[in-house]
Amino acid sequence: MFRGSDTLAGPPAAPAATAVFTAVLTEGPVSRVALARRLGLSSAAVTKAARPLIDLGYLHELAATERTGPGAGRPASPLAVRADREFFIGVKITADELIGVVCDLRAQVRSTARRPLTDPDVEAVLIEVGRLTDDLLGAFPGDRARIRRLGLSLSGDIDRTTGLVRYSPFLHWRDVPLGRLVAQRTGLAVTVENDVKALTAAEHWFGEGVGAESFALVTVGTGIGCGLVVNGRLVSGSYGVAGEIGHLAVDATGPDCHCGGRGCVESIAGTDAIVAQARVRTGRPDLTIDEAVALARGGHEQVRAVFTRAGSAIGCGIAAVANLVGPTRIVVSGEGLAAYDLFDSHIRTSFERQAFGAAARCPLSIRPLPFEEWARGAAAVSIQSLVLP
C-alpha cells in the first residue's frame, strides 16, 4: 500500500498569500498589478505574499508580456502556477464502481483507473479504494512523492469538515467515518465531499464557473443534485445539505421518495424512478433504462409521458434555484444527459413557466461530463484543502 511523503511543505497560510495563490490558481497567469487590483491589496503586499510561494515552487514568473499601463516602465511578468508542484488523487464512489484520477495542481488529469465495486460493505469499499490508489500510482508517470492528498466523492449527506458520511442512500451507509478510515488505509491526507458539490467545486475553480460570483450546477441521473456557488463560495449550509433540489417536493400526490418525503423531484425524475414508472406503463418488470429510452425514442407514448413528467419536475427544481439564489448561469450535467433529448424541451418549458420575472432569463448550459470528471471534482476538493482553511 502506498504511503504518502511528508517531505513537501504546503503553501503559506497567511490570508494575503492564500488570496494570491487562489487567484493565480483559478484565474492565472496574472500580473502583480492585476492581482493587486483584483484583491484590493497594494503591489508591495502582493509581492510580499508571492515571494514564499515562488520560493516553495508553487508559483513562477513567466516571461514579461505586457506593460502595466500607459507610460509604465518595464513590462509585467505574470505569475503562474507550477502545475507539477504537487499531485492529487480523486475518487468517485458509485454503487457499483470506483472511478479514479490523478490530477496536477491545475486539476488537469494525468492518469485514470477504474475498479468494479460488487460489495457496498464499508470494509470491502476500503479495500477497493486502496487497490484503486495503487492502480492509479502504477499508471502515474510522475514523482509519487509529490502525491500527499486524496479526495473522495459520493452521493449523500457528507460532513466535509470531518469526513463523515452521515447518509449515503445508494451505498446504504449511515455515520461512516470514511475520511479517517481511508487516511489510515492509505497514509494520505483525505477529504470527503458530496459528489455534486465536488463537481461544482471543480467547475467553480477550473471550469464553467471560473470568475462567476454565483452559479449553480444541476445533475440529472440516478439522483437529482445541485451545487451552489454564492458570492464566490460553495454553499453547504448549516447542515451540509444546501442545494438538495432532488428532495424538493413538486407533486404532493406523487410517489414516495427514499428520503421519506413524497413527490420529490428525484422520486419522479431520478433514473430508478423513471425505470419504475416505465415498467408499470409497459408491464415489463425487467425493463432497463436503456430499453425505456429506446421505447420513448421509438414513439411509445406512455413511456414518453414518463420522460415528459420527469422533465417537468426537473424544470421546477431548476426554477426554484433561479428564484431563490439568482445565479448568473446554471449548468446542467450528469449521466442522465444521455437521454436529454427526451426531456430537454419539457425542462425548459417548466423552468420558464416557474421562474419568476427576470430569473427566466438565466441561461441553462448543457454540459455532459463522464465520471472521470466527477473524480476530478474529488481531486479539486483536495486541491482546495491545500489552499483554504
Side-chain angles (χ1 to χ4, degrees), residues 58-129:
Y58 284 95
L59 299 183
H60 66 117
E61 292 182 312
L62 300 179
T65 58
E66 63 179 20
R67 296 185 182 277
T68 58
R74 62 187 181 88
S77 297
L79 293 172
V81 168
R82 286 194 181 277
D84 61 354
R85 174 61 175 82
E86 194 160 343
F87 298 93
F88 304 80
I89 294 175
V91 176
K92 155 75 169 165
I93 304 175
T94 75
D96 56 13
E97 189 176 25
L98 301 178
I99 304 94
V101 298
V102 176
C103 291
D104 63 23
L105 196 47
R106 289 278 301 148
Q108 299 172 96
V109 175
R110 299 297 186 95
S111 63
T112 66
R114 289 187 176 218
R115 291 193 70 88
L117 194 60
T118 58
D119 184 353
D121 179 76
V122 174
E123 181 60 27
V125 173
L126 291 174
I127 290 171
E128 291 303 326
V129 168

Coordinates of all heavy atoms in Angstrom, one line a residue, residues 58-129:
Y58 N 5.5 26.8 -5.8 CA 4.1 26.7 -6.2 C 3.8 27.7 -7.3 O 2.9 27.5 -8.1 CB 3.2 27.0 -5.0 CG 3.1 25.8 -4.1 CD1 3.9 25.7 -2.9 CD2 2.2 24.8 -4.3 CE1 3.9 24.6 -2.1 CE2 2.1 23.7 -3.5 CZ 2.9 23.6 -2.4 OH 2.9 22.5 -1.6
L59 N 4.5 28.8 -7.3 CA 4.3 29.8 -8.4 C 5.6 30.1 -9.1 O 6.7 29.9 -8.5 CB 3.8 31.2 -7.8 CG 2.4 31.2 -7.1 CD1 2.1 32.6 -6.7 CD2 1.3 30.6 -7.9
H60 N 5.5 30.6 -10.3 CA 6.7 31.0 -11.0 C 6.4 32.2 -11.9 O 5.2 32.5 -12.2 CB 7.4 29.9 -11.8 CG 6.5 29.4 -13.0 ND1 6.9 29.5 -14.3 CD2 5.3 28.8 -13.0 CE1 6.0 29.0 -15.1 NE2 5.0 28.6 -14.3
E61 N 7.4 33.0 -12.3 CA 7.1 34.1 -13.2 C 7.3 33.7 -14.6 O 8.3 33.1 -15.0 CB 8.1 35.2 -12.8 CG 7.9 35.9 -11.4 CD 8.9 37.0 -11.2 OE1 10.1 36.8 -11.4 OE2 8.4 38.1 -10.8
L62 N 6.4 34.2 -15.5 CA 6.5 33.9 -16.9 C 7.3 35.1 -17.5 O 7.5 36.1 -16.8 CB 5.1 33.9 -17.5 CG 4.2 32.8 -17.0 CD1 2.9 32.9 -17.8 CD2 4.8 31.4 -17.3
A63 N 7.7 34.9 -18.7 CA 8.4 36.0 -19.4 C 7.5 37.2 -19.5 O 6.3 37.1 -19.7 CB 8.9 35.5 -20.8
A64 N 8.1 38.4 -19.4 CA 7.3 39.6 -19.5 C 6.6 39.7 -20.8 O 7.1 39.5 -21.9 CB 8.3 40.8 -19.4
T65 N 5.3 40.0 -20.7 CA 4.4 40.0 -21.9 C 3.7 41.3 -22.1 O 3.2 41.6 -23.2 CB 3.4 38.9 -21.8 OG1 2.6 39.1 -20.6 CG2 4.1 37.5 -21.8
E66 N 3.5 42.1 -21.1 CA 2.7 43.4 -21.2 C 3.2 44.4 -20.3 O 3.9 44.2 -19.3 CB 1.2 43.0 -20.9 CG 1.0 42.6 -19.5 CD -0.4 42.3 -19.1 OE1 -1.2 42.1 -20.1 OE2 -0.7 42.4 -17.9
R67 N 2.9 45.7 -20.6 CA 3.2 46.8 -19.7 C 2.1 47.0 -18.7 O 0.9 46.6 -19.0 CB 3.5 48.0 -20.5 CG 4.8 47.9 -21.4 CD 5.1 49.2 -22.1 NE 6.3 49.0 -22.9 CZ 7.5 49.1 -22.5 NH1 7.8 49.3 -21.3 NH2 8.5 48.9 -23.4
T68 N 2.4 47.5 -17.6 CA 1.3 47.6 -16.6 C 0.4 48.8 -16.8 O -0.7 48.9 -16.2 CB 2.0 47.8 -15.2 OG1 2.8 49.0 -15.2 CG2 2.8 46.6 -14.8
G69 N 0.7 49.7 -17.7 CA -0.2 50.8 -18.0 C 0.5 51.8 -18.9 O 1.7 51.7 -19.2
P70 N -0.3 52.8 -19.4 CA 0.3 53.8 -20.3 C 1.5 54.5 -19.6 O 1.4 55.0 -18.5 CB -0.8 54.8 -20.5 CG -2.1 54.0 -20.2 CD -1.7 53.1 -19.1
G71 N 2.6 54.6 -20.3 CA 3.8 55.2 -19.8 C 4.6 54.5 -18.8 O 5.5 54.9 -18.2
A72 N 4.1 53.2 -18.5 CA 4.8 52.4 -17.5 C 6.2 52.0 -18.0 O 6.5 52.0 -19.2 CB 3.9 51.2 -17.2
G73 N 7.0 51.6 -17.0 CA 8.3 51.2 -17.3 C 8.4 49.8 -17.9 O 7.8 49.5 -18.9
R74 N 9.1 48.9 -17.2 CA 9.3 47.6 -17.8 C 8.0 46.8 -17.8 O 7.1 47.0 -17.0 CB 10.3 46.8 -16.9 CG 9.9 46.6 -15.5 CD 11.1 46.0 -14.7 NE 10.7 45.7 -13.3 CZ 10.2 44.6 -12.9 NH1 9.9 43.6 -13.7 NH2 9.9 44.4 -11.6
P75 N 7.9 45.9 -18.8 CA 6.6 45.0 -18.9 C 6.4 44.2 -17.7 O 7.4 43.8 -16.9 CB 6.9 44.2 -20.1 CG 8.0 44.9 -20.9 CD 8.8 45.6 -19.9
A76 N 5.2 43.8 -17.4 CA 4.9 42.9 -16.3 C 5.3 41.5 -16.6 O 5.3 41.0 -17.7 CB 3.4 43.0 -16.0
S77 N 5.6 40.8 -15.5 CA 5.9 39.4 -15.6 C 4.8 38.6 -14.9 O 4.8 38.6 -13.6 CB 7.3 39.1 -14.9 OG 8.3 39.7 -15.6
P78 N 3.9 38.0 -15.6 CA 2.7 37.4 -14.9 C 3.2 36.2 -14.0 O 4.1 35.5 -14.3 CB 1.9 36.9 -16.1 CG 2.4 37.7 -17.3 CD 3.8 38.0 -17.1
L79 N 2.4 36.0 -13.0 CA 2.6 34.9 -12.1 C 1.7 33.7 -12.6 O 0.6 33.9 -13.0 CB 2.2 35.2 -10.7 CG 3.1 36.3 -10.0 CD1 2.5 36.6 -8.6 CD2 4.5 35.7 -9.8
A80 N 2.3 32.5 -12.5 CA 1.5 31.3 -12.9 C 1.8 30.2 -12.0 O 2.8 30.2 -11.2 CB 1.9 30.9 -14.4
V81 N 0.9 29.2 -11.9 CA 1.1 28.1 -11.0 C 2.0 27.1 -11.7 O 1.9 26.8 -12.9 CB -0.3 27.5 -10.7 CG1 -0.2 26.1 -10.1 CG2 -1.1 28.4 -9.8
R82 N 2.8 26.5 -10.9 CA 3.6 25.3 -11.4 C 2.7 24.1 -11.2 O 2.6 23.5 -10.1 CB 4.9 25.1 -10.6 CG 6.0 26.2 -11.0 CD 7.3 25.8 -10.4 NE 8.4 26.7 -10.7 CZ 9.0 26.8 -11.9 NH1 8.7 25.9 -12.9 NH2 9.9 27.7 -12.1
A83 N 2.1 23.6 -12.2 CA 1.1 22.6 -12.1 C 1.6 21.3 -11.6 O 0.9 20.5 -10.9 CB 0.4 22.3 -13.5
D84 N 2.9 21.0 -11.8 CA 3.5 19.7 -11.4 C 4.2 19.8 -10.0 O 4.9 18.9 -9.6 CB 4.5 19.2 -12.4 CG 5.7 20.2 -12.7 OD1 5.6 21.3 -12.1 OD2 6.6 19.8 -13.4
R85 N 3.9 20.9 -9.3 CA 4.5 21.0 -8.0 C 3.9 20.0 -7.0 O 4.6 19.5 -6.1 CB 4.2 22.4 -7.4 CG 4.6 22.7 -5.9 CD 6.1 22.5 -5.8 NE 6.6 22.8 -4.4 CZ 6.5 22.0 -3.4 NH1 6.0 20.8 -3.6 NH2 7.0 22.4 -2.2
E86 N 2.7 19.6 -7.2 CA 2.0 18.6 -6.4 C 0.9 17.9 -7.1 O 0.3 18.6 -8.1 CB 1.5 19.3 -5.1 CG 1.1 18.3 -4.0 CD 1.1 19.0 -2.6 OE1 1.6 20.1 -2.5 OE2 0.5 18.4 -1.7
F87 N 0.6 16.7 -6.8 CA -0.4 15.9 -7.5 C -1.4 15.4 -6.5 O -1.1 15.3 -5.3 CB 0.2 14.8 -8.3 CG 1.1 15.3 -9.4 CD1 2.5 15.4 -9.1 CD2 0.6 15.6 -10.6 CE1 3.3 15.8 -10.1 CE2 1.5 16.1 -11.6 CZ 2.8 16.2 -11.4
F88 N -2.7 15.1 -7.0 CA -3.8 14.8 -6.1 C -4.6 13.6 -6.7 O -4.9 13.6 -7.9 CB -4.7 16.0 -5.9 CG -4.0 17.2 -5.4 CD1 -3.3 18.0 -6.3 CD2 -4.1 17.6 -4.1 CE1 -2.6 19.1 -5.9 CE2 -3.4 18.7 -3.6 CZ -2.7 19.5 -4.5
I89 N -4.9 12.7 -5.9 CA -5.8 11.6 -6.3 C -7.3 12.0 -6.0 O -7.6 12.6 -5.0 CB -5.5 10.3 -5.6 CG1 -4.1 9.8 -6.0 CG2 -6.5 9.2 -5.9 CD1 -3.6 8.6 -5.2
G90 N -8.1 11.7 -7.0 CA -9.6 11.9 -6.8 C -10.3 10.6 -7.1 O -10.0 10.0 -8.1
V91 N -11.2 10.2 -6.3 CA -12.0 9.0 -6.5 C -13.5 9.3 -6.3 O -13.9 9.9 -5.3 CB -11.6 7.9 -5.5 CG1 -12.5 6.7 -5.6 CG2 -10.1 7.5 -5.6
K92 N -14.3 8.9 -7.3 CA -15.7 9.0 -7.3 C -16.2 7.6 -7.0 O -15.9 6.6 -7.6 CB -16.2 9.5 -8.6 CG -17.7 9.1 -9.0 CD -18.7 9.8 -8.2 CE -20.1 9.5 -8.9 NZ -21.2 10.0 -8.0
I93 N -17.0 7.5 -5.9 CA -17.6 6.2 -5.5 C -19.0 6.1 -5.9 O -19.9 7.0 -5.5 CB -17.5 6.0 -3.9 CG1 -16.1 6.2 -3.5 CG2 -18.1 4.7 -3.5 CD1 -15.9 6.2 -1.9
T94 N -19.4 5.1 -6.7 CA -20.8 4.9 -7.1 C -21.2 3.6 -6.4 O -20.5 3.0 -5.7 CB -21.0 4.8 -8.6 OG1 -20.5 3.5 -9.1 CG2 -20.2 5.9 -9.3
A95 N -22.5 3.2 -6.7 CA -23.0 2.0 -6.1 C -22.3 0.7 -6.6 O -22.3 -0.3 -5.9 CB -24.5 1.9 -6.3
D96 N -21.7 0.8 -7.8 CA -21.1 -0.4 -8.4 C -19.7 -0.2 -9.0 O -19.2 -1.1 -9.6 CB -22.1 -1.0 -9.5 CG -22.4 0.1 -10.5 OD1 -21.8 1.1 -10.6 OD2 -23.4 -0.2 -11.3
E97 N -19.1 1.0 -8.8 CA -17.8 1.2 -9.4 C -17.1 2.3 -8.7 O -17.7 3.2 -8.1 CB -18.0 1.6 -10.9 CG -16.7 1.6 -11.7 CD -17.0 1.9 -13.2 OE1 -18.0 2.5 -13.5 OE2 -16.1 1.5 -14.0
L98 N -15.7 2.2 -8.7 CA -14.9 3.3 -8.3 C -14.2 3.9 -9.5 O -13.7 3.1 -10.4 CB -13.8 2.8 -7.3 CG -14.3 2.1 -6.0 CD1 -13.1 1.7 -5.2 CD2 -15.1 3.1 -5.2
I99 N -14.2 5.2 -9.7 CA -13.6 5.9 -10.8 C -12.5 6.8 -10.2 O -12.8 7.6 -9.3 CB -14.6 6.7 -11.6 CG1 -15.7 5.7 -12.2 CG2 -13.8 7.3 -12.8 CD1 -16.9 5.7 -11.3
G100 N -11.3 6.6 -10.6 CA -10.2 7.4 -10.0 C -9.3 8.2 -11.0 O -9.2 7.7 -12.2
V101 N -8.8 9.3 -10.6 CA -7.8 10.1 -11.4 C -6.7 10.6 -10.6 O -6.8 10.6 -9.3 CB -8.6 11.3 -12.1 CG1 -9.7 10.8 -13.0 CG2 -9.1 12.3 -11.0
V102 N -5.6 10.9 -11.2 CA -4.5 11.7 -10.6 C -4.5 13.0 -11.4 O -4.4 13.0 -12.6 CB -3.2 11.0 -10.7 CG1 -2.1 11.9 -10.1 CG2 -3.2 9.7 -9.9
C103 N -4.6 14.1 -10.6 CA -4.6 15.4 -11.2 C -3.4 16.2 -10.7 O -2.9 16.0 -9.6 CB -5.9 16.2 -10.8 SG -7.4 15.6 -11.6
D104 N -3.0 17.2 -11.5 CA -2.0 18.1 -11.1 C -2.6 19.3 -10.3 O -3.8 19.3 -10.1 CB -1.1 18.6 -12.3 CG -1.9 19.4 -13.3 OD1 -2.9 19.9 -13.0 OD2 -1.4 19.4 -14.5
L105 N -1.8 20.3 -10.0 CA -2.3 21.4 -9.2 C -3.3 22.2 -9.9 O -4.1 23.0 -9.3 CB -1.1 22.2 -8.8 CG -1.3 23.2 -7.6 CD1 -2.0 22.6 -6.4 CD2 0.1 23.8 -7.2
R106 N -3.4 22.1 -11.3 CA -4.4 22.8 -12.0 C -5.6 21.9 -12.4 O -6.4 22.3 -13.2 CB -3.8 23.3 -13.3 CG -2.8 24.5 -13.2 CD -3.5 25.8 -13.0 NE -4.3 26.1 -14.2 CZ -5.4 26.8 -14.2 NH1 -5.9 27.3 -13.1 NH2 -6.1 27.0 -15.3
A107 N -5.7 20.8 -11.7 CA -6.8 19.8 -11.9 C -6.8 19.3 -13.3 O -7.9 18.8 -13.8 CB -8.1 20.5 -11.5
Q108 N -5.7 19.2 -13.9 CA -5.6 18.5 -15.2 C -5.3 17.0 -14.9 O -4.4 16.7 -14.2 CB -4.4 19.1 -16.0 CG -4.6 20.6 -16.4 CD -3.4 21.2 -17.0 OE1 -3.4 21.3 -18.2 NE2 -2.5 21.6 -16.2
V109 N -6.1 16.2 -15.6 CA -6.0 14.7 -15.3 C -4.7 14.2 -16.0 O -4.4 14.3 -17.1 CB -7.2 14.0 -15.9 CG1 -7.1 12.5 -15.7 CG2 -8.5 14.5 -15.2
R110 N -3.9 13.4 -15.2 CA -2.6 12.8 -15.6 C -2.8 11.3 -15.8 O -2.0 10.7 -16.6 CB -1.5 13.2 -14.7 CG -1.2 14.7 -14.5 CD -0.8 15.3 -15.8 NE -0.3 16.7 -15.6 CZ 0.9 17.1 -15.4 NH1 1.9 16.2 -15.4 NH2 1.2 18.3 -15.3
S111 N -3.6 10.7 -15.0 CA -3.8 9.2 -15.2 C -5.2 8.9 -14.6 O -5.8 9.6 -13.8 CB -2.7 8.4 -14.5 OG -2.8 8.6 -13.1
T112 N -5.8 7.8 -15.1 CA -7.1 7.3 -14.7 C -7.1 5.8 -14.5 O -6.3 5.1 -15.0 CB -8.2 7.7 -15.8 OG1 -7.9 6.9 -17.0 CG2 -8.1 9.1 -16.2
A113 N -8.1 5.4 -13.7 CA -8.3 4.0 -13.5 C -9.7 3.7 -12.9 O -10.3 4.6 -12.4 CB -7.2 3.4 -12.5
R114 N -10.2 2.5 -13.1 CA -11.5 2.1 -12.6 C -11.4 0.8 -12.0 O -10.6 -0.1 -12.4 CB -12.5 2.1 -13.7 CG -12.9 3.5 -14.3 CD -14.1 3.4 -15.3 NE -14.6 4.7 -15.7 CZ -15.8 5.0 -16.0 NH1 -16.8 4.0 -15.7 NH2 -16.2 6.1 -16.4
R115 N -12.3 0.6 -11.0 CA -12.4 -0.8 -10.4 C -13.9 -1.0 -10.1 O -14.6 -0.2 -9.7 CB -11.6 -0.9 -9.1 CG -10.1 -0.8 -9.2 CD -9.5 -1.3 -7.9 NE -9.6 -2.7 -7.6 CZ -8.8 -3.6 -8.1 NH1 -7.8 -3.3 -8.8 NH2 -9.0 -4.9 -7.8
P116 N -14.3 -2.3 -10.4 CA -15.7 -2.6 -10.1 C -15.9 -2.7 -8.6 O -15.0 -3.0 -7.9 CB -15.9 -4.0 -10.8 CG -14.6 -4.5 -10.9 CD -13.6 -3.4 -11.1
L117 N -17.1 -2.4 -8.2 CA -17.5 -2.5 -6.7 C -18.7 -3.4 -6.6 O -19.8 -3.0 -7.0 CB -17.8 -1.1 -6.2 CG -17.9 -0.9 -4.7 CD1 -16.6 -1.2 -4.1 CD2 -18.3 0.6 -4.4
T118 N -18.4 -4.6 -6.1 CA -19.5 -5.6 -6.1 C -20.1 -5.7 -4.7 O -21.2 -6.3 -4.5 CB -19.0 -7.0 -6.5 OG1 -17.9 -7.3 -5.6 CG2 -18.5 -6.9 -7.9
D119 N -19.5 -5.1 -3.7 CA -20.0 -5.2 -2.3 C -19.9 -3.8 -1.7 O -18.9 -3.2 -1.6 CB -19.0 -6.2 -1.5 CG -19.5 -6.4 -0.1 OD1 -20.5 -5.8 0.3 OD2 -18.9 -7.3 0.6
P120 N -21.1 -3.3 -1.3 CA -21.1 -1.9 -0.7 C -20.7 -1.9 0.8 O -20.7 -0.8 1.4 CB -22.6 -1.5 -0.9 CG -23.3 -2.8 -0.8 CD -22.4 -3.8 -1.4
D121 N -20.4 -3.0 1.3 CA -19.9 -3.0 2.7 C -18.7 -2.1 2.9 O -17.8 -2.0 2.0 CB -19.5 -4.5 3.1 CG -19.0 -4.5 4.6 OD1 -19.9 -4.5 5.5 OD2 -17.8 -4.6 4.8
V122 N -18.6 -1.4 4.0 CA -17.6 -0.4 4.2 C -16.2 -1.0 4.1 O -15.3 -0.5 3.4 CB -17.7 0.3 5.6 CG1 -16.6 1.2 5.9 CG2 -19.1 1.0 5.7
E123 N -15.9 -2.2 4.7 CA -14.6 -2.7 4.6 C -14.3 -3.1 3.2 O -13.1 -2.9 2.7 CB -14.5 -4.0 5.5 CG -13.2 -4.7 5.5 CD -12.0 -3.8 6.0 OE1 -12.3 -2.8 6.8 OE2 -10.9 -4.0 5.6
A124 N -15.2 -3.7 2.4 CA -15.0 -4.0 1.0 C -14.6 -2.8 0.2 O -13.7 -2.8 -0.6 CB -16.2 -4.7 0.5
V125 N -15.3 -1.7 0.5 CA -15.0 -0.4 -0.3 C -13.7 0.1 0.1 O -12.9 0.5 -0.8 CB -16.1 0.6 0.0 CG1 -15.8 1.9 -0.6 CG2 -17.5 0.1 -0.5
L126 N -13.3 0.0 1.4 CA -12.0 0.5 1.8 C -10.9 -0.3 1.1 O -9.9 0.2 0.6 CB -11.8 0.3 3.3 CG -12.6 1.2 4.2 CD1 -12.4 0.9 5.6 CD2 -12.2 2.7 3.9
I127 N -11.1 -1.6 1.0 CA -10.1 -2.5 0.3 C -9.9 -2.1 -1.2 O -8.8 -1.9 -1.7 CB -10.5 -4.0 0.4 CG1 -10.3 -4.5 1.8 CG2 -9.6 -4.8 -0.6 CD1 -10.9 -5.8 2.0
E128 N -11.1 -1.8 -1.9 CA -11.0 -1.4 -3.3 C -10.5 0.0 -3.5 O -9.8 0.2 -4.5 CB -12.4 -1.6 -3.9 CG -12.9 -3.0 -4.0 CD -12.0 -3.9 -4.8 OE1 -11.4 -3.4 -5.7 OE2 -11.9 -5.1 -4.4
V129 N -10.8 0.9 -2.6 CA -10.2 2.2 -2.7 C -8.6 2.1 -2.6 O -7.9 2.8 -3.3 CB -10.7 3.2 -1.6 CG1 -9.9 4.4 -1.5 CG2 -12.2 3.5 -1.8

